[in-house]
Amino acid sequence: REYAVFDSETSHTLEEGWIYQWAFLLSGRYVYGRKPSEFIRLLSRIRDKYELNRDKEIIIYIHNAAYDLQYLKHYLYEYDDEMEVLATDAHSIITLTVEGFRFICSYRLSNLSLDLFSQTYAEKYLKASGAIDYSILRYQDEELTDTDWYYMFSDVASQHDAIGHYLE
């Protein structure tokens, strides 16, 4: 069965946090953006193209879903106000379902950090650990470096690679 992966990078001040870049990998195609609203538009396009619904969905793995989804939940709720969440507590999301898509936490599935998950199961791609400095404040409208994008794409590539072999 085909599956997708999603990852985002975030930045924050003491008052607020935001996604400043994201990447999505499905069927060997990378799609990327800077704002959550762009990702939601992508989901809508995929849903319409493949005629997805509650009975026909694409699985999207997110490593540490509770973290990434906290920045997306408002947008996902606007996409589908009948969103369903399965969690063991407030910060331990296992799955989140919206029309046409089921997000599954690959961290909860594997119980490994993405770095260790890729080292253990990926055959082709490894996470580019340490490539970016998380202490730098980044915004959605500022230019990102090649290293920033390399790090982003290595996350989704290594996650997709590792999940495929883990599920085997």
Side-chain angles (χ1 to χ4, degrees):
R1 179 174 176 165
E2 190 167 21
Y3 58 90
V5 295
F6 172 85
D7 191 39
S8 67
E9 297 302 331
T10 62
S11 209
H12 58 86
T13 63
L14 291 175
E15 296 81 30
E16 65 179 332
W18 56 89
I19 290 174
Y20 68 85
Q21 100 186 106
W22 58 265
F24 178 81
L25 176 57
L26 174 65
S27 299
R29 293 184 178 194
Y30 292 85
V31 182
Y32 58 93
R34 303 297 303 277
K35 299 175 182 175
S37 58
E38 297 166 340
F39 177 62
I40 300 304
R41 282 196 306 274
L42 173 66
L43 292 181
S44 295
R45 290 182 68 191
I46 293 170
R47 179 197 60 208
D48 295 346
K49 179 179 179 175
Y50 294 102
E51 300 176 351
L52 302 175
N53 54 48
R54 295 241 179 250
D55 297 319
K56 181 182 176 188
E57 60 191 19
I58 292 175
I59 292 175
I60 302 172
Y61 289 96
I62 301 181
H63 210 77
N64 198 2
Y67 184 81
D68 286 86
L69 291 174
Q70 78 177 333
Y71 294 97
L72 283 174
K73 65 184 173 191
H74 169 74
Y75 299 92
L76 289 168
Y77 185 77
E78 286 182 358
Y79 169 84
D80 180 0
D81 63 1
E82 295 181 21
M83 173 175 61
E84 297 173 11
V85 177
L86 173 63
T88 55
D89 68 40
H91 298 289
S92 294
I93 294 173
I94 297 169
T95 66
L96 181 146
T97 304
V98 294
E99 186 177 20
F101 303 95
R102 179 174 307 251
F103 294 86
I104 297 176
C105 181
S106 55
Y107 173 72
R108 301 280 297 176
L109 180 68
S110 67
N111 201 30
L112 298 170
S113 68
L114 183 53
D115 188 31
L116 191 53
F117 190 44
S118 72
Q119 289 177 34
T120 305
Y121 292 100
E123 290 186 355
K124 189 173 181 181
Y125 301 103
L126 292 177
K127 177 178 174 44
S129 295
I132 64 168
D133 181 353
Y134 280 106
S135 70
I136 297 172
L137 200 59
R138 294 176 175 88
Y139 294 94
Q140 295 170 336
D141 59 350
E142 72 181 41
E143 189 171 332
L144 297 175
T145 67
D146 289 344
T147 301
D148 292 323
W149 286 111
Y150 170 74
Y151 184 80
M152 179 86 269
F153 293 131
S154 82
D155 275 6
V156 292
S158 65
Q159 182 184 10
H160 192 276
D161 188 8
I163 286 169
H165 293 100
Y166 181 82
L167 295 176
E168 286 176 6

